[in-house]
Amino acid sequence: MIATHAPDRAARPIWLTTLADLGLLLVGFFVFVQATQNLDKRALANGFREGFGAAPAPAAPDPMPVAAAAMLNFAPGSATLPGAPDGLVAWARAATGDPRVTLRIAGSVDGSAADVDAATGSGAVLAADRARAVAAALARARVAPGRMTIVNAPDRPGQGRRQVLVTLGFAGDPS
């Protein structure tokens, strides 16, 4: 019979075990950093989608902004269009005759206490409502079906504009 001898725990100092654990954690951290340095986030997201049985996300580049038009003078606290959008519709229709052009629609508020959504008290909600109102008017006029995107406008304190900005973007060849 072969006798096995377990090492005496008292013979090893506790700091040596702690140092080994710390070393392994440090090596693991550097492996993680190196592995994610060249990580394709779109491929990772598509892998998750595939794992759950969903189709991969289409690769769509951000359109390059080319031109913009605005619908101005919304009433404070209101998302009702201030007038007929005929000029904006004509401009958007002419520009979106090219299938490579997309529309990005962003609403904004003037930042005052009166220019907020009545139900929520939020300026961001009112800005989104204004953008949706303009998008709905463009959709009713059959302008760029499927090529409109409502986006959140970045906060621009001090601008004081109650408007919706429609930006034309060149997205490149659809192929």
Side-chain angles (χ1 to χ4, degrees), residues 104-127:
R104 294 173 62 98
I105 304 166
S108 63
V109 294
D110 66 8
S112 69
D115 200 26
V116 295
D117 180 59
T120 62
S122 170
V125 170
L126 179 60

Side-chain angles (χ1 to χ4, degrees), residues 1-174:
M1 173 183 243
I2 298 175
T4 58
H5 181 263
D8 186 13
R9 288 194 168 268
R12 290 183 299 184
I14 189 72
W15 64 266
L16 187 60
T17 304
T18 305
L19 182 64
D21 290 344
L22 179 63
L24 286 174
L25 284 172
L26 191 59
V27 167
F29 172 76
F30 284 124
V31 167
F32 177 75
V33 167
Q34 185 63 32
T36 59
Q37 187 173 7
N38 297 322
L39 180 70
D40 181 3
K41 291 176 179 62
R42 180 170 290 279
L44 181 63
N46 283 336
F48 284 133
R49 288 172 160 272
E50 186 178 305
F52 287 104
D62 286 338
M64 179 179 71
V66 176
M71 177 156 263
L72 305 170
N73 302 325
F74 281 83
S78 173
T80 304
L81 296 179
D86 299 334
L88 181 62
V89 167
W91 175 80
R93 183 172 283 137
T96 56
D98 185 342
R100 300 171 295 177
V101 172
T102 62
L103 297 176
R104 294 173 62 98
I105 304 166
S108 63
V109 294
D110 66 8
S112 69
D115 200 26
V116 295
D117 180 59
T120 62
S122 170
V125 170
L126 179 60
D129 286 346
R130 288 175 176 164
R132 278 196 309 262
V134 169
L138 291 172
R140 280 191 300 275
R142 301 198 193 306
V143 174
R147 293 186 284 148
M148 288 189 284
T149 305
I150 296 175
V151 297
N152 289 335
D155 292 334
R156 297 180 202 108
Q159 272 200 335
R161 293 192 177 154
R162 298 181 305 272
Q163 69 178 3
V164 172
L165 185 66
V166 181
T167 306
L168 295 178
F170 181 74
D173 290 326

